[in-house]
Amino acid sequence: MTARILVVDDVPANVLLLQTRLSAEYFDVVTAESGPQALAACAEQPIDVVLLDIMMPDMDGYEVCRRLKAEPDTAHIPVVMVTALDQQSDRVRGLQAGADDFLTKPVDTMQLLTRVKSLVRLKNLSDELRLRAATSRTIAIKTLLSGADEAAHQPSILLVDERDGSTLGLSSVLDGWATVQHQNDPQAGFFDAVEGQPDLVMIATGFKNYDPLRIIAQLRSVERTRFTPLMLIANPEESDLVMRALELGLNDYVTRPVEPQELKARITTQLKRKHFHEGLRASLTETLQLAITDPLTGLHNRRYLEGHLQTLFDRAAKRQAPLSVMMMDLDHFKQVNDIHGHDGGDTVLREFAQRLRRNVRGMDLACRYGGEEFIIIMPETDQQTARQVAERLRMAIEAAPFALGPGKPDIDLTVSIGVSSVVGDEETASSLLKRADLALYAAKDSGRNRVIADAA
């Protein structure tokens, strides 16, 4: 695992120690001696994790963290505060500033590497989602990071703990702040998490006959809970178990006795991160949808057709099943634009797309190929059936005039359609499309408003 780690400390010996340990694991290490240097380093180059000392002159670690998390360009960088402070209030203050984790001096090498590797994996996921969503401007990064949406409702938390006393204590801490569901059976807790989709799952160690690592691994292996925040409640002496849990996909942990304010701050951090990633995934989904959809008609576009036709063709060939293509063109559509303007033409195209949907099956792929040309891919359909469907569609276009809107006249239109079907072993997806195109031109050349099926 390679990543660029920024080590920030005003004491050279501390910097050298962390740099040596990280370099031994082949991390690329960048250093800074002050808060302003750290901010400049993050602004000038890609940083994967920041190891940040708290006690520094001029600008302490809290302020550096706040500034990093306030900027959309750096807010996604995980920040680990490295400090000799051991007061709970200091840790809570750091979490409230946006810190993702803590390491206490003197830094344990195993904890350092485990934490850094875990956060690098998280950063890689964020980077991938952010890169894919970069072309979409529908996502407001600052709004996502602010966590405004979480404040609108109490988070739902599933607590998996077989000890009733521990459960009552945690429930009282979170009462009124979150909705807590308790499950003392770990296997039942797994199913509750998958089916109930809580905002966060807390898993306590100390089961008599069950390994808590197993439920973590199970939750990470299921699609519905792959990105659900998981938090472990462990004993101080269970550091090896915690490190293994982090490697399996645990997001965070607290140790007993649980300090209420730290627990709430850590939960808040995980929920903000969850909300941020969900927003990025939603943006990615919308971006992909825009990339394959014609915005005017809502049908799939040519890009999607070119990618999916080959898939449908290969499947038909494998199953030795029929496959047909219908290519159509609105007759004399240019006159519609010339007489009624492009607004009128757009109205016609939208209505035409609606009539396509009403006259084909859900399994058929209807696309706008470009301009007034449309294509329908028809799986499990031989040429005779495809021709019948095409004729039915032609009649549906001819039978009813197209309404252009209030105060405008309705207009009559017709459509020419070419049909081709898979024939022989030498057929390809491209040749199938080409034959439908040639059949379409034959229909137009022979007088329009007709269906011609290419007999190959």
Side-chain angles (χ1 to χ4, degrees), residues 322-326 376-379 381-383 386 419-421 432:
L323 177 69
S324 296
V325 172
M326 188 190 309
I376 298 177
I377 311 298
M378 309 179 71
T381 306
D382 58 28
Q383 188 174 85
V419 176
S420 66
S421 301
L432 182 65

Side-chain angles (χ1 to χ4, degrees), residues 147-356:
D149 287 351
E150 289 106 1
H153 69 282
Q154 287 188 349
S156 60
I157 297 175
L158 172 63
L159 173 59
V160 185
D161 188 350
E162 70 178 10
R163 299 186 300 179
D164 292 334
S166 172
T167 298
L168 289 173
L170 289 171
S171 297
S172 64
V173 167
L174 300 175
D175 183 41
W177 185 81
T179 302
V180 181
Q181 175 193 354
H182 171 233
Q183 179 56 258
N184 56 16
D185 183 339
Q187 278 300 95
F190 166 74
F191 289 109
D192 287 350
V194 173
E195 297 299 325
Q197 296 287 284
D199 294 317
L200 181 140
V201 178
M202 298 177 65
I203 304 162
T205 63
F207 295 104
K208 292 180 180 178
N209 300 305
Y210 196 84
D211 183 354
L213 296 180
R214 186 166 299 281
I215 189 172
I216 294 173
Q218 289 176 330
L219 290 172
R220 283 294 176 253
S221 67
V222 176
E223 184 66 29
R224 297 184 69 183
T225 54
R226 185 159 294 163
F227 301 107
T228 301
L230 305 180
M231 181 175 290
L232 191 69
I233 304 169
N235 294 318
E237 65 273 13
E238 294 178 309
S239 58
D240 290 344
L241 185 147
V242 169
M243 291 178 197
R244 180 63 177 145
L246 289 167
E247 293 175 353
L248 291 173
L250 183 73
N251 295 91
D252 202 356
Y253 67 94
V254 291
T255 55
R256 301 182 177 98
V258 177
E259 202 284 321
Q261 291 305 314
E262 179 179 357
L263 176 64
K264 291 180 180 179
R266 288 189 177 276
I267 291 174
T268 299
T269 297
Q270 292 303 320
L271 294 179
K272 284 184 177 181
R273 186 180 294 165
K274 175 178 181 284
H275 180 63
F276 177 62
H277 285 165
E278 285 176 346
L280 287 172
R281 291 188 194 97
S283 176
L284 171 58
T285 300
E286 183 174 352
T287 301
L288 293 175
Q289 191 64 32
L290 290 172
I292 63 175
T293 303
D294 174 56
L296 178 64
T297 64
L299 300 177
H300 287 297
N301 59 17
R302 183 170 181 167
R303 176 184 296 175
Y304 185 82
L305 168 72
E306 291 173 346
H308 199 55
L309 174 59
Q310 187 64 53
T311 300
L312 294 176
F313 183 87
D314 291 342
R315 186 177 68 180
K318 183 177 181 180
R319 298 177 179 177
Q320 295 186 335
L323 177 69
S324 296
V325 172
M326 188 190 309
M327 183 175 286
M328 64 208 73
D329 189 295
L330 277 166
D331 296 329
H332 305 296
F333 181 75
K334 184 176 183 300
Q335 294 180 11
V336 177
N337 283 330
D338 292 342
I339 298 172
H340 303 284
H342 289 287
D343 289 345
D346 289 349
T347 300
V348 167
L349 291 174
R350 282 191 290 266
E351 173 60 23
F352 182 75
Q354 289 297 323
R355 297 189 194 185
L356 282 187

